[in-house]
Structures are given as structure tokens and as C-alpha cells.
């Protein structure tokens, strides 16, 4: 089983012909509602690939939370809600997409703190954390048999998490305060450019095949979900990175929050 720990949001996705300017109204050509967030999207990807997946996150009892639960349930992800007693709205993102451009307005987890549920965290062969909900992330990192860290951008909690990591997957924008990320495997994605992978003091470049990208939202999350899936299945790092790149390539070739999963 793969355990994902981190952010789940309500994503409201509007598709328009062009990003509107200030004080300008735009008519959406399409509209979607889906669960979002790095950990949630990674969980959906791993589940679509065939893994049993549990997501530990903070949703709460607000009616909007039902949208998150429904989408995750429909895509085979079991949810453990650390905020079940909270009536506050869950994190929400409004995403305006026009071709390769997008504008995102988010109200994420903020400063709210949620503790590990009374039943504790389930045992998992591999755990992925995204650094949101710090108390949950630290508890999951300490309990993990194998830990993958989605390090999109620096968060202070990473100082407590990274020492437990087997794989740290960074975006090109990630900056560690010391300038050095220490882990057995450090992976850095650069969009359509080659992925770099450092292990044992040696850095390799992994090519990214060119694709006709129509939507890049969630590509990194898909990469991380595939990374977790193939590592948990016993693949080597070389094999895992090749498959994660392939999965991210499938994601960017298809518009929509979830339709691309049918192409895996």
C-alpha cells in the first residue's frame, strides 16, 4: 500500500479562450470540479496505475469537502481525514486555463494545524509527503519505511522531513536554505528539459521525450505519483524515472483534470 500525506483541495477549473485582464469578464468554454493538491493528485495517479492508496489529509465537514471525497473515492483513493471535526471550508483553488497559460488563485491550508487521527497512520510500504499539514507530514516521515518527498518549493517543515527521505523530488524552483539537499536520491524536474538525478555524489541527466503539451497543470503531481508507484513496485531508479517521465508526458498531452488517466 502507498500512503500519501498532504494537501487536498477543491479545484474549480475554468477554460477560456484567453486569460482576462483587469475588470474584464470572460465566458468559460468548459468547467470542471475535481480534487486537487499535490498529495491528492499523486494519490489519484498511483491508484490509476494500480496501487492501493490511502491519502491522509485535512478536509473537514464543510459541504465543499464532499466534492473532494467524491472525486477521490471515484478514483480509488481511500481517505483519512485529520480535520473531520472542523466545519471550516477546505482549501479551494480557482484555476483559469487558456491554452498553455494559467492563472491560479488559492486559499490553501494556511496556518491551520491538524494532528494525526486517533487511529494513527496506516502502515505502508512507501509514503509520499508534500509538506503541507506539517504535523501530519513529520509524523508520516518518522513512521515511513520508505519516504518520497515532493519538494516543490521550500517549506520550513522540510528541515524535519528530509533526513528521513529516500527520494527527494524537487522542482527547478526549489531552494534549500543551505544550498544542498542530502538524500540517497535527489531528483530535479525542469519542465520539458531533462530530469537530473543525483545519487552517491554522481549527477545524471534523464532525457524527457518531446510531446505536444496541451495542459501542464498537475504534471509534477502525476510525476510524483508515478515515482511512488514504481518505486513501491520494486523498480530501479532508472526504471522509475523513465516511467514517471512517461506518465507526466501522458498527463500534459490531454486536457482536463482526470480524463488523461484513461490513457495510462
Amino acid at each position: 500500500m502507498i500512503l500519501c500525506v498532504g494537501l487536498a483541495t477543491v479545484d474549480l477549473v475554468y477554460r477560456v479562450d484567453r486569460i482576462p485582464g483587469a475588470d474584464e469578464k470572460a465566458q468559460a468554454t468548459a468547467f470542471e470540479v475535481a480534487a486537487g493538491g499535490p498529495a491528492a493528485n499523486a494519490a489519484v495517479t498511483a491508484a490509476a496505475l494500480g496501487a492501493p492508496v490511502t491519502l491522509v489529509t485535512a478536509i473537514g465537514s464543510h459541504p465543499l469537502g464532499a466534492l473532494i471525497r467524491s472525486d477521490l473515492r471515484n478514483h480509488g483513493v481511500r481517505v483519512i481525514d485529520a480535520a473531520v471535526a472542523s466545519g471550516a471550508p477546505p482549501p479551494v483553488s480557482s484555476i483559469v486555463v487558456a491554452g498553455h497559460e494559467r492563472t491560479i488563485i488559492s486559499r490553501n491550508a494556511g496556518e491551520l494545524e491538524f494532528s494525526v487521527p486517533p487511529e494513527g497512520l496506516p502502515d505502508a510500504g512507501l509514503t509520499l509527503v508534500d509538506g503541507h499539514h506539517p504535523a501530519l507530514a513529520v509524523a508520516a516521515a518518522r513512521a515511513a519505511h520508505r519516504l518520497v518527498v515532493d519538494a516543490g518549493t521550500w517549506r520550513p517543515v522540510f528541515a524535519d522531513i528530509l533526513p528521513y527521505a529516500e527520494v527527494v523530488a524537487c522542482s527547478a524552483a526549489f531552494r534549500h536554505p543551505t544550498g544542498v539537499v542530502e538524500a540517497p536520491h535527489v531528483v530535479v524536474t525542469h519542465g520539458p528539459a531533462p530530469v537530473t538525478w543525483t545519487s552517491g555524489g554522481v549527477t545524471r541527466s534523464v532525457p524527457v521525450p518531446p510531446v505536444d503539451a496541451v495542459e501542464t497543470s498537475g504534471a509534477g503531481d502525476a510525476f510524483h505519483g508515478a515515482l511512488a508507484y514504481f518505486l513501491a513496485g520494486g523498480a530501479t531508479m532508472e526504471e522509475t524515472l523513465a516511467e514517471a517521465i512517461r506518465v507526466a508526458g501522458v498527463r500534459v498531452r490531454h486536457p482536463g483534470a482526470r480524463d488523461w488517466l484513461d490513457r495510462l
Side-chain angles (χ1 to χ4, degrees):
M1 192 266 284
I2 293 173
L3 178 65
C4 295
V5 180
L7 186 64
T9 67
V10 177
D11 278 3
L12 309 175
V13 185
Y14 302 85
R15 302 188 186 283
V16 296
D17 293 327
R18 63 182 179 84
I19 303 294
D23 296 324
E24 182 181 4
K25 294 182 179 180
Q27 181 65 38
T29 58
F31 174 71
E32 291 179 273
V33 180
N41 284 333
V44 167
T45 302
L49 289 166
V53 181
T54 296
L55 172 68
V56 179
T57 187
I59 300 173
S61 61
H62 189 278
L64 283 174
L67 300 175
I68 300 174
R69 292 190 185 88
S70 176
D71 184 49
L72 294 173
R73 181 176 61 249
N74 289 342
H75 290 91
V77 177
R78 175 190 175 219
V79 174
I80 296 176
D81 186 5
V84 67
S86 172
V92 177
S93 292
S94 293
I95 306 166
V96 181
V97 180
H100 294 273
E101 295 184 310
R102 60 177 179 168
T103 296
I104 302 174
I105 301 173
S106 296
R107 175 59 177 158
N108 285 339
E111 301 302 320
L112 297 177
E113 287 281 352
F114 297 100
S115 302
V116 175
E119 65 270 26
L121 299 173
D123 190 57
L126 184 142
T127 299
L128 180 148
V129 300
D130 65 10
H132 292 271
H133 305 305
L136 298 177
V138 171
R142 289 174 176 169
H145 298 294
R146 303 177 69 188
L147 180 66
V148 174
V149 178
D150 169 359
T153 56
W154 172 257
R155 299 178 182 281
V157 70
F158 285 143
D160 297 319
I161 293 173
L162 295 185
Y164 298 95
E166 175 182 340
V167 179
V168 179
C170 309
S171 72
F174 181 84
R175 296 292 183 271
H176 193 289
T178 68
V180 179
V181 179
E182 294 185 2
H185 302 285
V186 178
V187 175
V188 183
T189 57
H190 303 267
V195 172
T196 55
W197 162 40
T198 301
S199 179
V202 177
T203 298
R204 305 165 179 83
S205 180
V206 184
V208 175
V211 298
D212 183 15
V214 298
E215 182 167 339
T216 58
S217 298
D221 303 338
F223 180 90
H224 299 138
L227 198 72
Y229 173 80
F230 287 101
L231 281 176
T236 65
M237 275 300 295
E238 292 92 338
E239 295 166 339
T240 293
L241 289 174
E243 289 294 338
I245 290 168
R246 177 188 66 81
V247 169
V250 174
R251 197 278 163 268
V252 301
R253 288 200 302 271
H254 300 93
R258 299 289 183 239
D259 290 348
W260 69 277
L261 296 168
D262 296 332
R263 276 74 171 187
L264 290 176

